[in-house]
Amino acid sequence: MSTENDGPNADLRTRSSTLYDGNSRAAARAMMKGIGFTDDDLRKPIIGIANTWIETMPCNFNLRGLAEKVKQGVRAAGGTPMEFNTIAISDGVTMGTEGMKTSLVSREVIADSLELVGRGHMFDAIIGLGACDKTLPGLALGLVRLDVPSVLLYGGSIMPGHYKGRELTVQSVYEAIGAEAAGKIDTAELREIENRACPGAGACGGQYTANTMAMSMEFLGLSPIGTASPPAEDPRKEDIGTRIGELIIDVLRRDYRPSQVLTKTAFENAIAGVAASGGSTNAVLHLLAIAREVGVELSIDDFDAISRRTPLICNLMPSGQYAAADLDRAGGIQLVCRRLIESGHIDGSSPTPSGRTLAEEAAEAVETPGQDVVRSVDNPIKATGGIHVLKGNLAPDGCVVKLFGYEPTTMSGPARVFESAQEATDAVLHTKIVAGDIVVIRNEGPKGGPGMQEMLGITAALVGQGLGDSVGLMTDGRFSGATRGLMIGHVAPEAFVGGPIAAIREGDTITIDVPNRTLTLEVPDDEIAARLADREPPQPRYRTGVLAKYAAHVRQADDGATTLLD
């Protein structure tokens, strides 16, 4: 029996027909019928639904229900959805433990698993559902490799909690931990903040990594404009899911693929969005990785150049006043996009999954009268964006810091050197760091960690102790999008491979000079070279398993911490 489709979508089955058409594919059809698919189902375009639902965090918790809405939309538009799942690791839950090292590694596993299922089951198009920090970039990497018509949908932000008249996010809890350690609040108040900070499902509620990457995916053209802003538990999200399911058939018909969309201009648009919104430094890693995968020439220096010319206009946490849900109420990501298009900071001619341009989509933004979440370009929070790339004898290949405008931009002080994040955490929580110190955390890079674990527990504790403006920190690891202060990450090369950060000794003077974009160890070059030559090469922390494989293949942070083989 043949299953060739004679319907209106016959020409859309360029991939799935290989699996399901003709007498020779009877066994494949038999297996699918065993789980409820019919001949009619298999004659339609097969749409993969790549879900990252997991029960280990609130971020992705709503995606199981959202996927059902997406599948309803696919069926209504004449396709057959097939849902599959991949992993996710919560940065917020694992923070400050050995488990945190798995987070960045999960981006590669997500990409690999999506690619494997997509290649094996030959979907005609794919919808990716992501929410927590690594899921959207991981899904994007996998879609780039497959290069099939595709769309990404963000599950949405959590709503903010409330305590004593202020909005709370998980950042508030980490800062409260530091405040309690310093005796500024008691354990009962810490517990009250803990109980109120995360009131439901959804990704962490400021312009942290998840919301930063959701905005980036809209600016890149991988997600439809206006779909990311509604919070996870807002009823609009279900309607958006259904519409995305319907849209994918049109995306398939137009053959809208990542290779056609992800141009240098698209990446420049995304970087401008990160800069203008005060977004996470993790966007540097993820956008570099996606660019490497698609073959677009993008460097860490592009982030600094674009940030220098892009004003910071969003008053969003971690350094600003408002949560992501407040951005939605103010007019959403599309309002930010419209501001930047009208001022010439991004290219509005870039395509979007809807078939319209970025400018056409952003023009429909509805700004709430009197809102002060998104400022005008003429009245920015800061004339330049939040992302700054420093170089110098401590970071010859670059490092990244995010500033909102109130932080010190220069600092010089004695190095307090720690060989791991845990060592530094213990010192901070035992109040052994004092004003003027420059905290150095090394051997936490892509290979050394491995996995570049985040340092939010440390940075937030410093802020909670009142040291956010008087202590600097540098690391070859990375930071949560919730980090604020003069905190420098992604130092490259990392200590594990012999980068200059490995030469720092306790008490050495380190100078941070953001205006001149330098990070300097005040030690003669020949002394730095001698220290590195005398250094005993460290041994890998993992010798078997996924972390060992990752460490063996991963590149440096300025290359996106990718695992490309070429």
Side-chain angles (χ1 to χ4, degrees):
M1 173 183 176
S2 172
T3 63
E4 278 79 356
N5 180 18
D6 297 323
N9 293 330
D11 60 340
L12 302 183
R13 298 175 63 253
T14 57
R15 299 168 183 83
S16 65
S17 60
T18 302
L19 282 186
Y20 301 120
D21 284 5
N23 291 341
S24 66
R25 305 306 305 161
R29 293 193 298 274
M31 295 188 74
M32 300 308 289
K33 290 174 181 177
I35 54 173
F37 290 98
T38 67
D39 284 327
D40 186 53
D41 292 330
L42 300 178
R43 292 189 186 105
K44 297 173 181 177
I46 307 299
I47 310 300
I49 311 297
N51 201 346
T52 56
W53 176 86
I54 201 165
E55 206 170 28
T56 58
M57 66 187 87
C59 315
N60 303 49
F61 192 72
N62 64 311
L63 294 183
R64 176 178 278 179
L66 186 59
E68 290 302 318
K69 297 298 181 179
V70 171
K71 289 192 285 185
Q72 288 176 17
V74 171
R75 294 188 188 101
T80 295
M82 292 184 182
E83 184 181 356
F84 62 100
N85 221 80
T86 183
I87 65 152
I89 303 291
S90 169
D91 297 52
V93 173
T94 63
M95 191 76 65
T97 73
E98 191 71 6
M100 180 70 231
K101 294 180 179 179
T102 65
S103 173
L104 186 59
V105 180
S106 76
R107 184 189 73 182
E108 310 308 305
V109 177
I110 293 164
D112 290 349
S113 60
L114 187 156
E115 179 189 5
L116 284 170
V117 177
R119 291 193 190 282
H121 288 274
M122 300 183 184
F123 303 119
D124 296 301
I126 297 176
I127 299 171
L129 303 183
C132 67
D133 293 10
K134 308 306 171 295
T135 50
L136 284 178
L139 292 168
L141 288 168
L143 294 177
V144 166
R145 296 174 192 172
L146 293 172
D147 199 31
V148 300
S150 48
V151 170
L152 288 175
L153 176 59
Y154 178 51
S157 171
I158 196 172
M159 294 297 290
H162 294 87
Y163 178 67
K164 291 185 175 180
R166 65 188 179 99
E167 291 188 331
L168 300 179
T169 68
V170 72
Q171 170 193 349
S172 311
V173 185
Y174 280 107
E175 292 182 1
I177 292 170
E180 191 272 341
K184 293 178 178 292
I185 63 172
D186 60 21
T187 300
E189 185 165 7
L190 170 61
R191 183 58 56 86
E192 194 68 20
I193 293 170
E194 170 192 334
N195 289 340
R196 293 170 180 261
C198 299
C204 296
Q207 190 65 349
Y208 310 149
T209 304
N211 285 309
T212 298
M213 294 314 300
M215 178 180 285
S216 295
M217 294 305 159
E218 292 197 1
F219 280 46
L220 280 173
L222 292 178
S223 296
I225 290 286
T227 58
S229 296
E233 295 187 333
D234 191 299
R236 291 173 296 161
K237 190 64 78 173
E238 292 188 351
D239 294 336
I240 288 169
T242 303
R243 287 193 282 113
I244 292 295
E246 295 170 346
L247 175 65
I248 194 65
I249 300 301
D250 185 55
V251 166
L252 175 57
R253 186 171 288 111
R254 288 184 282 111
D255 197 32
Y256 185 87
R257 294 179 286 115
S259 63
Q260 300 170 340
V261 178
L262 296 176
T263 62
K264 181 66 176 288
T265 297
F267 283 99
E268 290 172 343
N269 285 347
I271 294 169
V274 174
S277 64
S280 170
T281 54
N282 283 309
V284 179
L285 285 176
H286 299 324
L287 292 175
L288 283 171
I290 297 167
R292 295 290 182 275
E293 200 74 58
V294 79
V296 169
E297 291 189 9
L298 191 72
S299 78
I300 193 171
D301 295 324
D302 289 318
F303 288 81
D304 192 71
I306 293 170
S307 188
R308 282 178 186 261
R309 65 177 186 248
T310 306
L312 176 62
I313 60 173
C314 294
N315 188 12
L316 294 170
M317 297 178 185
S319 298
Q321 180 179 355
Y322 294 105
D326 298 312
L327 173 60
D328 174 57
R329 285 191 286 267
I333 292 171
Q334 54 270 52
L335 176 59
V336 181
C337 188
R338 191 179 79 189
R339 289 271 202 273
L340 295 176
I341 290 172
E342 290 174 345
S343 61
H345 288 94
I346 68 174
D347 187 339
S349 67
S350 293
T352 72
S354 71
R356 302 198 299 171
T357 66
L358 204 58
E360 289 171 328
E361 292 285 359
E364 295 186 355
V366 178
E367 181 175 358
T368 301
Q371 67 83 25
D372 61 347
V373 181
V374 183
R375 293 195 184 182
S376 69
V377 172
D378 295 333
N379 180 34
I381 294 164
K382 188 161 69 81
T384 58
I387 298 293
H388 304 73
V389 175
L390 314 184
K391 294 191 175 181
N393 69 356
L394 274 178
D397 293 334
C399 57
V400 182
V401 61
K402 178 181 68 176
L403 300 178
F404 198 71
Y406 61 79
E407 311 90 339
T409 58
T410 61
M411 187 178 293
S412 187
R416 302 294 310 280
V417 181
F418 302 95
E419 303 298 338
S420 70
Q422 189 57 54
E423 282 186 17
T425 300
D426 291 344
V428 171
L429 293 181
H430 288 89
T431 63
K432 294 180 179 179
I433 304 300
V434 300
D437 285 344
I438 308 291
V439 177
V440 177
I441 306 172
R442 62 191 179 195
N443 296 308
E444 293 290 4
K447 289 182 176 292
M452 294 185 77
Q453 69 170 305
E454 290 184 350
M455 309 291 174
L456 177 60
I458 301 166
T459 61
L462 288 170
V463 171
Q465 291 176 13
L467 297 173
D469 293 334
S470 58
V471 167
L473 187 149
M474 58 171 286
T475 179
D476 50 11
R478 60 192 179 90
F479 296 123
S480 163
T483 290
R484 55 180 173 144
L486 194 55
M487 312 296 177
I488 299 167
H490 308 190
V491 172
E494 63 178 300
F496 187 83
V497 300
I501 187 175
I504 303 172
R505 293 179 179 173
E506 185 81 8
D508 284 345
T509 298
I510 294 173
T511 299
I512 303 167
D513 186 344
V514 176
N516 289 307
R517 301 299 197 266
T518 57
L519 178 64
T520 306
L521 177 61
E522 303 296 351
V523 170
D525 290 345
D526 57 353
E527 172 64 15
I528 294 174
R531 291 181 185 182
L532 292 175
D534 290 342
R535 164 180 167 271
E536 186 72 26
Q539 296 300 308
R541 290 180 175 171
Y542 289 85
R543 296 183 178 276
T544 61
V546 64
L547 293 180
K549 288 188 286 186
Y550 178 86
H553 293 290
V554 70
R555 298 182 179 186
Q556 291 298 287
D558 62 299
D559 216 14
T562 62
T563 54
L564 295 172
L565 298 180
D566 59 353

